[in-house]
Amino acid sequence: MHATHDARASGAGMLNKVPEVTLIFWIIKIMSTTVGETGADYLAVHVGLGTGLTGGIMAMLLGGALLLQLRARAYVPWIYWLTVVLVSVVGTQITDALTDGLNVSLYVSTTVFAVALAAIFATWYATERTLSIHTIVTNRREVFYWTAILFTFALGTAAGDLATEALQLGFRLGVLVFGGLIALVTLAYYRGCNPILTFWIAYVLTRPLGASLGDFLSQARQYGGLGLGTIMTSAVFLVVIVALVAMVSVTTAQHRNASVGDEA
């Protein structure tokens, strides 16, 4: 879904910390979720770190990225998207740890994460009276935002695994189903449905779409994939993400310089 945002809130002391929601935003988001799926699998399985150690390392890296993000006074593309990629990996690891390590049913984890995300949104709205991503201009709102983002990844991972594995949709059908659901949400948005609601529904759905896409590309052919492997899939998507973020960084800098020139 596409939207614009007001750059500054009166008295907030910082610029909005979330990028405009454009087509590039959604492309990077879906690719980030794919990297989260394939990257976590590569580190845990192929490198041999295991789920626990991989989760611990990624959690520490995410903590560092979040500190950079929270200290920034405006949207910085490379910091923001690095944080998203790391949140994707950690969100995947949380669900995998529950499923593989503690044998928690995907039905249970999907339900628990859905309830937890609803509680986060309820608390966020009760405190700030808005769930809009276009007003992330205080540290408190940003903490709510990133907490919600983490749980969207955990929920998306659990729901995606439930659909493709427990319900046996498979990777290819999973891509079609979740892609179709996102198309329906997009249509609802353009037909006048609440933009905040449609944004968050689409945000959750991009996680299982990205995961299904990542599995479809990386898994061996006998399991229904294309057999590209986690290394190749992760590398290609990372290159594309870096290129898009670099392009967005240049555009953002140009817009800010133009704004400063207009104010002068």
Side-chain angles (χ1 to χ4, degrees):
M1 271 112 281
H2 179 278
T4 58
H5 63 268
D6 184 7
R8 187 184 298 276
S10 176
M14 65 169 68
L15 298 176
N16 189 27
K17 303 286 287 297
V18 177
E20 288 190 29
V21 183
T22 63
L23 179 60
I24 290 180
F25 175 94
W26 289 115
I27 291 173
I28 299 176
K29 167 61 169 65
I30 292 171
M31 288 191 167
S32 298
T33 65
T34 303
V35 169
E37 179 76 9
T38 58
D41 288 346
Y42 173 72
L43 292 173
V45 179
H46 297 281
V47 176
L49 296 182
T51 301
L53 184 56
T54 299
I57 293 173
M58 292 299 108
M60 287 190 293
L61 291 176
L62 174 59
L66 279 172
L67 285 177
L68 289 175
Q69 174 67 23
L70 290 171
R71 291 185 63 176
R73 307 306 296 169
Y75 165 58
V76 180
W78 75 267
I79 297 177
Y80 176 88
W81 287 111
L82 173 63
T83 306
V84 169
V85 170
L86 291 172
V87 168
S88 176
V89 176
V90 172
T92 299
Q93 287 296 298
I94 291 173
T95 300
D96 288 348
L98 291 175
T99 304
D100 300 330
L102 300 178
N103 294 317
V104 175
S105 166
L106 287 169
Y107 292 95
V108 173
S109 59
T110 299
T111 301
V112 169
F113 286 137
V115 171
L117 183 59
I120 292 167
F121 282 140
T123 305
W124 183 357
Y125 186 80
T127 305
E128 301 294 336
R129 310 310 299 175
T130 180
L131 298 178
S132 173
I133 66 165
H134 307 314
T135 57
I136 308 300
V137 292
T138 67
N139 285 334
R140 186 167 66 182
R141 288 185 181 183
E142 191 169 13
V143 169
F144 277 123
Y145 173 78
W146 285 110
T147 303
I149 294 298
L150 176 61
F151 276 87
T152 64
F153 277 107
L155 172 60
T157 301
D161 289 348
L162 175 63
T164 58
E165 296 176 17
L167 300 180
Q168 299 183 337
L169 290 183
F171 309 135
R172 298 188 184 192
L173 187 54
V175 171
L176 294 176
V177 168
F178 291 115
L181 289 174
I182 291 172
L184 289 176
V185 174
T186 303
L187 178 62
Y189 167 77
Y190 282 108
R191 287 294 182 89
C193 286
N194 186 286
I196 296 175
L197 176 63
T198 51
F199 169 82
W200 284 112
I201 292 175
Y203 204 97
V204 171
L205 289 173
T206 54
R207 177 62 187 87
L209 172 62
S212 297
L213 180 61
D215 286 336
F216 174 61
L217 293 173
S218 63
Q219 294 298 317
R221 293 182 182 275
Q222 61 263 36
Y223 299 120
L226 293 182
L228 298 181
T230 55
I231 298 177
M232 177 64 71
T233 303
S234 299
V236 170
F237 276 49
L238 276 174
V239 168
V240 176
I241 290 172
V242 170
L244 290 175
V245 171
M247 182 177 69
V248 170
S249 298
V250 172
T251 302
T252 301
Q254 289 174 342
H255 285 169
R256 285 181 184 156
N257 290 337
S259 298
V260 171
D262 291 340
E263 291 175 1

